[in-house]
Each structure stands twice: as structure tokens, then as C-alpha cells.
Amino acid sequence: MDNNDRNMVPDNAMIERLCSLAADMRARSYVPYSKFHVGAALLTKDGRIFTGCNVENASFPMGTCAERTAFVKAVSEGAREFTAIAICGGPENGELQYCPPCGMCRQIMAEFCTGDFLIYLAKSPADYEVYTLDELLPNRFTGSNLRA
Ligand code: THU
């Protein structure tokens, strides 16, 4: 791997922007069942940002997480290379958490992102934890397994 292959680290202003957008997106969550609001903001390598929120359904397994909403929006608009995502989640009338992405969302990250993809779990633009995809989903199953 050379330098060009390494993921870019967003500067502080961009991290704040992603965390703030993720928090704003919680207002759009459609969560009549769980009342757990999650927002996400996904940064592409060419600097675009795609947002998402969770969208539930009376048929519970149909519900979609905020992160997957953001990825599907981005990919459907032609984006396929990503640097970072900010996630902001918590119950409707409770405190925000360092809300970790679920397993299914980690797997969609595995489809489109390298191991150094950055995942910000934000309580606020100034209060977050950051992990890489390698940390949150080691030894992941990818398309390369199908070809081996
Ligand atoms: N949820 C997300 O949107 N992202 C996650 O990574 C964790 C869970 C949503 C799914 C469901 O609408 C609600 O939070 C409670 O599980």
C-alpha cells in the first residue's frame, strides 16, 4: 500500500460538520416503534456528504438504519468511495449515546470501505468516539472471499 491508498482523515471542521449533520438528521427519523432516533452523515472521498436517518416499518424487520440509508443514497447517486461516517443516536426523550453501528451496517461499510474508514460515534460535534472499520469489523467477509 502506498500513500495514495491511505484514507484521508477529515479536519476538525469537517468532523464537526459531519457530527452536527448526523445530529440534525435525528429529527427526520421515522421511529414510531422503537422511538430511538439515529442520524448519519457519510463523507465521500471527493468531499460530498450524504445524510440518512432510520426508517421503521410496522413489519419490524423491514426497518432501515440511518447508516444504511446514507450509504444507499450515496451509491444510488454514483458515490462509491468513502472516508468517514458520523452517527448520532439515542432514545427520543433520553440522552445521546456513543451509538455503535449494528452488524448489518458494519457489513455495508465492509462492502464499500477500506479498513481505515473512520466511524465517529457522536454525542455532539465536540464529544465523540472514533473507530476504524478494522476495529469494528475485523476478519470481515467481502467479495474477495467469493473469488478465493
Ligand atoms: N439503528 C440505526 O439506525 N443504526 C444503528 O446502527 C443502530 C440501530 C436503528 C434501527 C431501529 O430503527 C432503531 O435504531 C432501534 O434499533
Side-chain angles (χ1 to χ4, degrees):
M1 183 185 268
D2 64 25
N3 281 336
N4 293 333
D5 293 321
R6 280 210 197 100
N7 198 8
M8 291 168 286
V9 176
D11 63 19
N12 284 341
M14 178 58 84
I15 295 168
E16 281 181 24
R17 190 160 164 228
L18 292 171
C19 294
S20 167
L21 283 169
D24 291 348
M25 285 305 290
R26 293 182 71 242
R28 302 246 173 101
S29 293
Y30 175 74
V31 289
Y33 307 105
S34 74
K35 303 203 186 311
F36 189 89
H37 294 248
V38 186
L42 175 63
L43 177 64
T44 67
K45 283 198 175 167
D46 61 4
R48 287 179 287 165
I49 297 172
F50 292 89
T51 55
C53 64
N54 51 337
V55 181
E56 297 181 349
N57 193 283
S59 174
F60 292 174
M62 271 193 63
T64 303
C65 293
E67 301 90 317
R68 274 180 291 134
T69 304
F71 269 94
V72 170
K73 282 172 67 179
V75 173
S76 65
E77 293 298 322
R80 289 202 180 164
E81 295 189 318
F82 304 101
T83 296
I85 191 168
I87 304 164
C88 182
E92 199 156 277
N93 297 312
E95 291 190 7
L96 290 173
Q97 312 169 354
Y98 300 119
C99 178
C102 79
M104 212 185 277
C105 291
R106 293 177 199 208
Q107 187 64 28
I108 201 169
M109 293 171 193
E111 187 68 27
F112 293 104
C113 306
T114 50
D116 52 4
F117 177 72
L118 293 163
I119 300 152
Y120 294 89
L121 312 182
K123 287 189 183 178
S124 80
D127 182 5
Y128 56 79
E129 293 178 350
V130 61
Y131 299 91
T132 62
L133 179 58
D134 273 337
E135 289 173 318
L136 293 192
L137 193 60
N139 193 22
R140 48 196 174 273
F141 184 84
T142 67
S144 64
N145 295 103
L146 299 174
R147 292 185 290 275

